[in-house]
Amino acid sequence: MENAGSNKVIIKIGGKGSTLSSWSVYAIANGLSKVDIDSSVSSNLKSSENLCYSLSGEKPVPNVLTLIETRACLVLLLNKLIITQTGIRFLVPDLICQTLNQETFDFKTLDFSSALGFLDSLFKLNGATLEEEGYTLGEKNVLMKSGYVLDGISALLDSCSPSLSTVADAVALLSCEALKADASVLAVRSLDSGNGFTIKDVASVARDFKVLLKGSNLVGETKGCELISDITEVHGSFRESAKQIHSITLVELNTSVKISKDGYSSSVGSEKPLVKTFLSFAMSVFDLGKSSFCRAGLLANDAGSEVGGMFQSGCPDIEELTDEIMLITTLAARDGNCVKFFHVINNLVATVRNILAWEAVLAIHSLERMESLERSQELSVASLSVETNQVKESPGEKSREKNNKVVLGKGTVVIKQLLKDRLKTGGDPALLNEWVHDLSLFFEPKDAELHTFLKKVREMVETNESRRVPKIPKGTGDYSKEQMAIRERAFKIIEEVFKRHGAMALDTPAFELRETLMGKYGEDSKLVFDLADQGGEICSLRYDLTVPFARYVAMKKLSSFKRYQIGKVYRRDNPAPGRFREFYQCDFDIAGQYCAMGPDFEVVKVLTELLDELNMGDYEIKLNHRKLLDGMLEICGVPPEKFRTICSSIDKLDKLQIEEIKKEMVEEKGLNAEVADKIGALVKKRGSPLELMSELKQDNQFLENKESSLALKDLEILFELLEESKCIDRVVFDLSLARGLDYYTGVIFEAVFKGTKGGSIAGGGRYDNLIGMFGTEQVPAVGVSLGIERVFHIMENDPNQSIRATETEVLVSIFGDDLRQAVKLVSELWGAKIKAEYLVHKRVQKHMNRAKECRIPLMVIVGDQERSANQVRIKDMQAHEEELVDRGSVVEEVQRRLNLISL
């Protein structure tokens, strides 16, 4: 970002590693910032020679969007064109940038209904025509398939939702005070409601309210109980919805359109998941507005007929909210109404913001009346005291005066004052409409003063964080000493297997440049954990260990490398129980040119050795070939551009029924129903590798198809090698196995447990093109990744598992308080490489408990008797035997005994 001369920040789009945020879109759309294209973009976007000039006969469709929505859509289109690059001229982004930087323009003339209609209207807005300038297929495809209009309004909603959440909390807090409500119900009904809302967000709202209402003497009279008790549910649900739209919007804003060399796009639109997420968000906004309106109604009734009349005539009511949400629901159910769908949600947010302004004004008005009444009563009492010459009040009168005094919570007193300062008017009820108008504008994120207000509210909540019980982020875990002992044992077994096969250790950073990871994981790219911009580099936490390995081989220009790596990886997921956002993977990879299928065989063999030696139970290795899958899809009639996205659907067969997969392929991915049925029939095939291989070789369709024929030759060699190594009985040939990652090119496999344990434990395959994606020579590679967290879970819950948290062999027990003697004795044992620890304590039972709890096999005991005789007592905890030995021969005697004990 740079600063423009007019005090407006300039937001640059298209720089190396740059990403577009929702707030940047909001700032440009609202005229808070100017926009500029990074100087590197003009050199990346060449003027295309393959221009088209044909026009569709469509009539322009009037723009239904507001100026701010239109500007937001233009920002998104600008970014999509720049990050897509392929087949894009600099002309179109430059025209959009010029249009955005104009103070005013005839935005209603822009036609967002079609790709060519938009280009024509954009050119006309800037003094040209489509017949003169033409268009490229790349530009047309970005306009048709990027979803920039939906993403633009999504960004506006995403940027508004955090401030709306905090404003709604602050206003509801004032109502709690003004209605003298029973705040104790805020955390009761919501936590056991069973209504499906995220309990953490509901509890978080309750905790925030408790902090901000602390010290109030108004709350607690049970007035308006029902309207107060639903605050935690309604506001908690809104917080969760805001998080969901932020997650999906963050991905959509910076997703490019994949354009092939011939200018066409295979990108699949994301309208349906976007609409589904934002429909849920709209419902939570509706609930927020309805809840606020009901509380405002109670406040208006208490304020008298004049104020009540102003409220009824000026505030949007439940009927208006209901009409908007019904229209949103109707539009969500129809195809082709997505633009209006998002436009109406934006209107709904504005309506709710207006209702919140009414609630805030009425709550402040009510609290002002209470304080005014209190002051007048104080004056009356003071006047009466003077007239009657009353000098001293009784203790009872002082107590009653204290109880009658209006005392707001430590947070609400600040919130009320901040809002009053904004109003800058007196308490005349005739000014209520002006107050509402002022606060409604104040509650919009573009108001600079709002950010000061939001920061103050959040600071008041966070100052109480130190008193709360600390917690860890969801999808992560702390591991006890017993768990760590099991993990270390498992890692040791795994490393021994890897080293047995000649693999060398490698370590790579926990985070990589974002550009290193993007474009490698297909639909799973949305799960990559992005980090904040630090020092001009956009980084992401590593999603797996394979892509960093490929990057390393490319950087070092290696022609071959057999490596293993054990490290943590990260997924930006909303984890279910048993799934993690941070977890270990154990990888074994072979890169380089070798005999056909030799590395593939060895990787599968390594996997069988790992699972056998970890002794996890019965398992099978499902195996397939990407080229066989591609051939199968071609035989069934799937267009080549849809191979990867259909593979990602097939990959879900372990979680969903085949009918659900067919429905997804047809309804969401545009596949013909007959083609989906053919795929369904083939992916059911699984069985013995040699038997199913024989069956497929008899099918001419597979033999005549180039891809599947090559795959069958590879698999035939692999199965022979697995049979020679006596591990083919562990393998199942499964045509439904797809492995969703885009970088696989050959053999793919996945290990799963049988029976009640179920679930995937490891996976991998051949990826011959991944290393070459980093701009170097292609180096073929194949690898396997073991999901060790599942191994840990099974080992930790094995009743036959013998868990010992430490490897301590000897406990040096000094009865008394002679620390120097303990240090001297234990140092001798450490010097002899014996694993020992010491304890100095007067109570004998303390020593015995320590040895038993830690299952330490030997104790070296020194009490008064042993000390005077210059001896020590060696106790064998397993045999329950003990013996006195000379002090000088302790080390030799301990070593002898340890050699006889099986640890």
Side-chain angles (χ1 to χ4, degrees):
M1 292 189 183
E2 295 180 4
N3 197 291
S6 59
N7 293 325
K8 288 186 178 180
V9 171
I10 296 178
I11 296 175
K12 283 202 171 186
I13 295 181
K16 183 179 179 181
S18 67
T19 55
L20 187 65
S21 69
S22 293
W23 176 250
S24 294
V25 176
Y26 183 90
I28 298 169
N30 282 275
L32 306 176
S33 300
K34 294 279 189 179
V35 63
D36 192 16
I37 301 174
D38 190 83
S39 57
S40 63
V41 172
S42 59
S43 59
N44 293 333
L45 303 185
K46 306 294 184 181
S47 57
S48 175
E49 298 176 0
N50 301 318
L51 293 175
C52 304
Y53 296 92
S54 61
L55 292 173
S56 64
E58 299 174 355
K59 295 181 180 179
V61 176
N63 183 5
V64 300
L65 305 179
T66 65
L67 172 61
I68 292 172
E69 290 170 341
T70 299
R71 290 173 64 86
C73 297
L74 290 177
V75 176
L76 258 295
L77 178 57
L78 174 62
N79 191 52
K80 297 283 186 182
L81 289 166
I82 290 172
I83 62 178
T84 298
Q85 292 191 2
T86 306
I88 309 297
R89 298 170 294 170
F90 183 69
L91 169 68
V92 180
D94 189 42
L95 283 179
I96 294 173
C97 186
Q98 291 178 38
T99 303
L100 283 168
N101 286 331
Q102 294 176 26
E103 291 295 329
T104 58
F105 62 91
D106 191 2
F107 72 96
K108 284 293 182 183
T109 62
L110 289 174
D111 179 8
F112 290 108
S113 64
S114 67
L116 299 186
F118 173 82
L119 280 175
D120 190 37
S121 62
L122 177 68
F123 287 141
K124 286 178 179 177
L125 190 63
N126 289 274
T129 64
L130 187 64
E131 293 94 330
E132 296 169 353
E133 301 294 348
Y135 63 91
T136 68
L137 288 177
E139 292 162 356
K140 182 180 178 182
N141 275 290
V142 170
L143 283 159
M144 290 174 61
K145 299 193 176 184
S146 66
Y148 68 95
V149 177
L150 311 187
D151 294 343
I153 310 176
S154 300
L156 294 179
L157 293 168
D158 179 38
S159 60
C160 290
S161 57
S163 60
L164 185 63
S165 177
T166 304
V167 164
D169 289 349
V171 171
L173 280 159
L174 291 180
S175 291
C176 287
E177 298 274 28
L179 292 170
K180 298 182 178 179
D182 181 7
S184 65
V185 300
L186 284 169
V188 176
R189 192 179 72 174
S190 58
L191 291 180
D192 59 1
S193 62
N195 59 7
F197 292 156
T198 301
I199 294 300
K200 287 185 178 180
D201 288 304
V202 172
S204 178
V205 172
R207 286 195 301 266
D208 292 349
F209 272 54
K210 183 178 179 182
V211 170
L212 296 170
L213 287 170
K214 187 175 181 180
S216 169
N217 72 343
L218 293 180
V219 293
E221 296 187 12
T222 68
K223 193 174 182 181
C225 178
E226 286 299 316
L227 295 175
I228 299 302
S229 62
D230 75 346
I231 289 175
T232 49
E233 295 176 10
V234 172
H235 290 225
S237 174
F238 182 77
R239 287 189 186 186
E240 174 63 16
S241 295
K243 291 176 187 175
Q244 290 174 352
I245 68 165
H246 179 69
S247 296
I248 196 169
T249 303
L250 185 66
V251 174
E252 293 295 327
L253 293 189
N254 296 284
T255 300
S256 63
V257 178
K258 294 181 180 178
I259 306 291
S260 61
K261 291 182 179 179
D262 58 7
Y264 290 94
S265 167
S266 61
S267 298
V268 178
S270 57
E271 288 90 349
K272 287 189 177 180
L274 205 62
V275 168
K276 183 178 179 182
T277 302
F278 274 86
L279 178 59
S280 175
F281 172 75
M283 293 302 300
S284 69
V285 174
F286 169 78
D287 289 338
L288 200 69
K290 182 180 176 182
S291 177
S292 176
F293 177 82
C294 292
R295 290 190 299 273
L298 280 179
L299 292 165
N301 289 339
D302 286 350
S305 58
E306 182 183 359
V307 172
M310 295 173 70
F311 168 71
Q312 289 179 2
S313 62
C315 183
D317 57 16
I318 299 292
E319 185 176 349
E320 187 172 337
L321 283 173
T322 303
D323 288 345
E324 288 185 328
I325 197 65
M326 287 183 67
L327 177 57
I328 289 167
T329 306
T330 303
L331 292 170
R334 296 179 186 170
D335 291 332
N337 287 282
C338 290
V339 174
K340 191 172 182 182
F341 168 80
F342 280 90
H343 169 70
V344 180
I345 294 178
N346 209 18
N347 288 343
L348 177 65
V349 170
T351 301
V352 170
R353 194 182 287 126
N354 195 13
I355 293 173
L356 287 169
W358 270 101
E359 182 187 359
V361 164
L362 291 169
I364 293 171
H365 178 64
S366 177
L367 292 170
E368 290 283 292
R369 282 171 41 238
M370 289 183 199
E371 292 172 351
S372 177
L373 179 62
E374 177 195 323
R375 285 192 295 271
S376 64
Q377 288 175 343
E378 287 176 350
L379 288 173
S380 297
V381 170
S383 176
L384 180 63
S385 299
V386 170
E387 290 177 7
T388 59
N389 295 318
Q390 183 176 347
V391 178
K392 188 176 182 180
E393 297 176 274
S394 67
E397 289 172 330
K398 284 187 176 181
S399 177
R400 282 192 296 274
E401 181 183 340
K402 184 178 179 180
N403 291 335
N404 290 331
K405 189 173 180 66
V406 175
V407 180
L408 301 183
K410 71 172 188 177
T412 45
V413 69
V414 176
I415 291 170
K416 174 176 170 287
Q417 190 58 50
L418 288 171
L419 293 180
K420 267 192 68 180
D421 291 345
R422 168 69 188 211
L423 297 174
K424 298 173 185 174
T425 56
D428 185 357
L431 298 173
L432 285 185
N433 280 313
E434 293 181 27
W435 287 15
V436 170
H437 178 71
D438 197 10
L439 279 190
S440 187
L441 293 176
F442 174 60
F443 289 162
E444 291 187 26
K446 63 184 178 183
D447 193 306
E449 292 181 14
L450 177 64
H451 296 281
T452 303
F453 173 79
L454 298 176
K455 183 180 179 182
K456 187 66 178 176
V457 174
R458 289 166 187 155
E459 282 176 353
M460 288 188 293
V461 172
E462 289 167 2
T463 53
N464 197 56
E465 285 292 333
S466 59
R467 301 179 187 179
R468 298 182 185 176
V469 176
K471 62 179 184 178
I472 58 174
K474 61 182 179 179
T476 62
D478 292 322
Y479 303 103
S480 67
K481 55 187 181 181
E482 291 82 9
Q483 290 174 305
M484 287 307 300
I486 290 174
R487 287 166 178 252
E488 288 173 356
R489 186 186 307 172
F491 285 142
K492 186 176 180 180
I493 293 171
I494 292 165
E495 283 191 351
E496 285 177 355
V497 172
F498 288 161
K499 289 177 180 179
R500 185 187 308 151
H501 287 260
M504 294 169 281
L506 174 69
D507 191 23
T508 57
F511 54 91
E512 299 272 351
L513 292 176
R514 189 172 188 272
E515 63 194 45
T516 299
L517 304 182
M518 288 299 99
K520 313 297 190 303
Y521 303 110
E523 293 184 8
D524 280 353
S525 291
K526 63 181 180 292
L527 300 180
V528 173
F529 232 127
D530 291 328
L531 301 175
D533 182 354
Q534 297 287 346
E537 289 188 335
I538 305 299
C539 298
S540 301
L541 293 175
R542 61 189 180 200
Y543 176 88
D544 64 5
L545 301 178
T546 306
V547 172
F549 167 64
R551 187 262 308 150
Y552 177 85
V553 173
M555 277 182 61
K556 300 299 181 182
K557 295 182 171 56
L558 303 178
S559 59
S560 64
F561 187 20
K562 184 185 286 189
R563 84 86 164 86
Y564 77 88
Q565 183 174 355
I566 298 175
K568 288 184 176 181
V569 297
Y570 303 86
R571 305 283 164 90
R572 191 179 63 82
D573 205 352
N574 192 14
R579 296 181 65 85
F580 298 89
R581 293 196 292 176
E582 177 192 65
F583 56 94
Y584 273 101
Q585 280 189 344
C586 305
D587 278 25
F588 175 89
D589 292 81
I590 304 173
Q593 294 283 358
Y594 297 91
C595 297
M597 304 311 291
D600 307 72
F601 149 73
E602 186 170 6
V603 167
V604 175
K605 177 63 175 173
V606 163
L607 180 54
T608 63
E609 291 178 11
L610 284 174
L611 297 180
D612 287 342
E613 295 188 28
L614 287 167
N615 194 25
M616 304 303 301
D618 201 9
Y619 66 90
E620 66 180 19
I621 298 174
K622 298 191 294 184
L623 193 144
N624 201 359
H625 199 294
R626 261 295 168 86
K627 289 181 180 177
L628 183 61
L629 265 174
D630 289 349
M632 181 181 73
L633 294 178
E634 186 177 346
I635 290 167
C636 292
V638 178
E641 67 269 15
K642 291 190 176 182
F643 280 6
R644 292 288 75 85
T645 187
I646 296 303
C647 277
S648 71
S649 294
I650 295 172
D651 195 44
K652 299 174 185 175
L653 273 168
D654 59 337
K655 304 179 185 72
L656 302 175
Q657 297 295 321
I658 185 64
E659 295 306 321
E660 295 176 273
I661 299 299
K662 288 181 184 177
K663 185 177 179 181
E664 178 181 302
M665 290 191 289
V666 173
E667 294 184 2
E668 295 184 22
K669 301 188 175 179
L671 209 60
N672 183 282
E674 185 179 347
V675 173
D677 288 336
K678 289 180 181 179
I679 294 171
L682 285 174
V683 296
K684 290 179 182 177
K685 294 181 180 293
R686 74 187 303 271
S688 164
L690 298 177
E691 291 176 9
L692 185 53
M693 169 66 70
S694 177
E695 180 185 335
L696 294 178
K697 287 176 69 176
Q698 294 174 20
D699 190 332
N700 288 332
Q701 290 185 102
F702 284 95
L703 295 177
E704 292 171 2
N705 181 276
K706 181 182 176 182
E707 294 294 295
S708 59
S709 176
L710 289 172
L712 290 175
K713 289 178 182 177
D714 282 347
L715 291 174
E716 189 170 20
I717 298 171
L718 176 61
F719 293 156
E720 288 176 358
L721 297 174
L722 292 173
E723 189 174 29
E724 287 292 332
S725 69
K726 304 190 186 314
C727 63
I728 197 167
D729 58 317
R730 292 294 199 180
V731 176
V732 175
F733 192 1
D734 190 336
L735 295 190
S736 72
L737 181 66
R739 299 291 292 166
L741 300 181
D742 270 9
Y743 53 64
Y744 288 124
T745 58
V747 170
I748 50 177
F749 49 87
E750 183 172 270
V752 296
F753 285 120
K754 293 181 180 180
T756 56
K757 291 180 181 178
S760 174
I761 183 68
R766 175 161 285 280
Y767 49 97
D768 287 347
N769 301 328
L770 181 58
I771 296 171
M773 291 176 72
F774 294 102
T776 61
E777 294 183 4
Q778 294 287 8
V779 179
V782 62
V784 60
S785 180
L786 178 67
I788 193 68
E789 297 296 337
R790 189 164 180 80
V791 171
F792 294 152
H793 178 73
I794 293 171
M795 292 176 73
E796 288 163 10
N797 289 280
D798 184 355
N800 299 317
Q801 184 72 243
S802 177
I803 301 173
R804 186 167 174 238
T806 75
E807 296 184 12
T808 304
E809 299 167 314
V810 180
L811 175 63
V812 174
S813 295
I814 306 298
F815 295 168
D817 56 7
D818 193 346
L819 178 59
R820 292 177 63 185
Q821 187 176 29
V823 167
K824 185 177 180 180
L825 184 49
V826 78
S827 295
E828 292 176 17
L829 296 173
W830 289 337
K833 310 302 180 188
I834 295 171
K835 297 170 184 174
E837 55 182 282
Y838 66 90
L839 177 62
V840 179
H841 204 280
K842 294 179 180 179
R843 293 180 57 193
V844 175
Q845 195 59 42
K846 191 81 173 178
H847 295 268
M848 296 301 169
N849 290 343
R850 176 70 166 274
K852 289 176 183 177
E853 287 170 7
C854 297
R855 296 170 58 193
I856 300 172
L858 293 180
M859 291 180 69
V860 174
I861 301 169
V862 180
D864 291 339
Q865 183 179 344
E866 290 80 12
R867 193 178 295 110
S868 61
N870 197 28
Q871 292 180 317
V872 300
R873 189 180 302 275
I874 298 180
K875 183 176 179 65
D876 187 328
M877 298 298 292
Q878 292 178 358
H880 302 289
E881 297 175 353
E882 56 184 58
E883 181 182 356
L884 284 169
V885 299
D886 292 338
R887 172 66 180 82
S889 59
V890 171
V891 173
E892 292 79 4
E893 184 61 26
V894 165
Q895 288 175 326
R896 184 186 69 80
R897 288 172 177 267
L898 289 174
N899 289 334
L900 299 175
I901 296 174
S902 177
L903 296 175

